[in-house]
Amino acid sequence: MGSDTVENTALRLRSVLEILAAEDPSATGKVSRAKVLGTVLERVPLAGREAETLASGTTRGERALVNATTKLVKAGWILKEARSGWSITPAGRQALKDFPEPAHLSAALNGKPVPEAESPAEEVVEEALRDAVAVPAAPAEQHGAHPETDIPEPSFPQPASVALAGDFGAALGTEDWDPAGAQFAFDRHDELWKLTVDLSEGTYRYKVALNGSWDENYGFDAHRDGGNIEIRHAGGPLTFLYDHATHHVVTKPEVNA
């Protein structure tokens, strides 16, 4: 991982805390995930490889940031409430005071020794952030099955299952809107859930449902419990890709997916 990406992600993690800390602590509403991520990327724009678009349609830098924010949750510094939004905890506010340098905050976040403020070593910063932001590189447009050797564990917690639920159940051999219907397969190389189906020409509506129920589902614009996603298909094989880091679903008309 390049040092620029490491340093930028350190800055973005601190920005997440700063944005949430700026909210009125007495307010009942939380800050939406989209607002937090959007503001962070305005403060520290994507650069170089970070701006590359992955197969899921999101950028490499945005996905790394979403993965990294799980460390803030595990540390008890922020809360992510899917329907209400994000908020900072008292421990998170204290972390901003205790670790004013992004590199020091990241080192503490990952249980590493905090470097001296006068001369933080780049090696320490890189080691501290590697687990938080690593996104395995995958060959471009490679969507097939892969050998199961030397495959790393997912860098982001994944659901037990992902299903395509929509108004085309009969075409897939399931019931319409079945949350345990057509199952995606997880590709650990590029950390995407994938499903290829053959559909006739028509307009279809769908969502993705996780873990065999409607308790957690994602629809239009990656919103939890959001509106149906609608697509006009010319007919033939269609590949669905679901990215659990961003909750986006994209489609590709590829036969060899």
Side-chain angles (χ1 to χ4, degrees), residues 84-103:
S84 301
W86 293 8
S87 60
I88 192 169
T89 66
R93 292 181 185 275
Q94 188 61 45
L96 280 173
K97 298 177 181 178
D98 293 343
F99 309 108
E101 294 295 326

Side-chain angles (χ1 to χ4, degrees), residues 161-164 182-186 193-195 207-208 240-242 249:
S161 65
V162 176
L164 183 67
Q183 296 288 314
F184 286 68
F186 184 60
W193 292 82
K194 303 176 181 180
L195 172 66
K207 291 184 179 184
V208 291
F240 293 81
L241 305 176
Y242 169 67
V249 187

Side-chain angles (χ1 to χ4, degrees), residues 9-85:
T9 303
L11 290 169
R12 291 173 189 138
L13 286 175
R14 181 171 178 82
S15 291
V16 169
L17 294 179
E18 291 173 343
I19 291 164
L20 296 176
E23 294 296 309
D24 182 354
S26 65
T28 56
K30 305 293 191 274
V31 187
S32 72
R33 172 183 183 275
K35 179 180 178 181
V36 174
L37 297 179
T39 304
V40 167
L41 294 179
E42 286 178 3
R43 290 188 181 187
V44 188
L46 300 177
R49 256 183 113 234
E50 294 179 320
E52 292 178 1
T53 301
L54 301 173
S56 61
T58 191
T59 60
R60 188 179 299 277
E62 180 183 355
R63 189 174 187 189
L65 173 60
V66 173
N67 290 356
T69 60
T70 62
K71 297 288 186 176
L72 298 176
V73 176
K74 291 179 180 178
W77 292 356
I78 70 171
L79 297 175
K80 293 182 178 180
E81 301 172 65
R83 291 178 175 83
S84 301

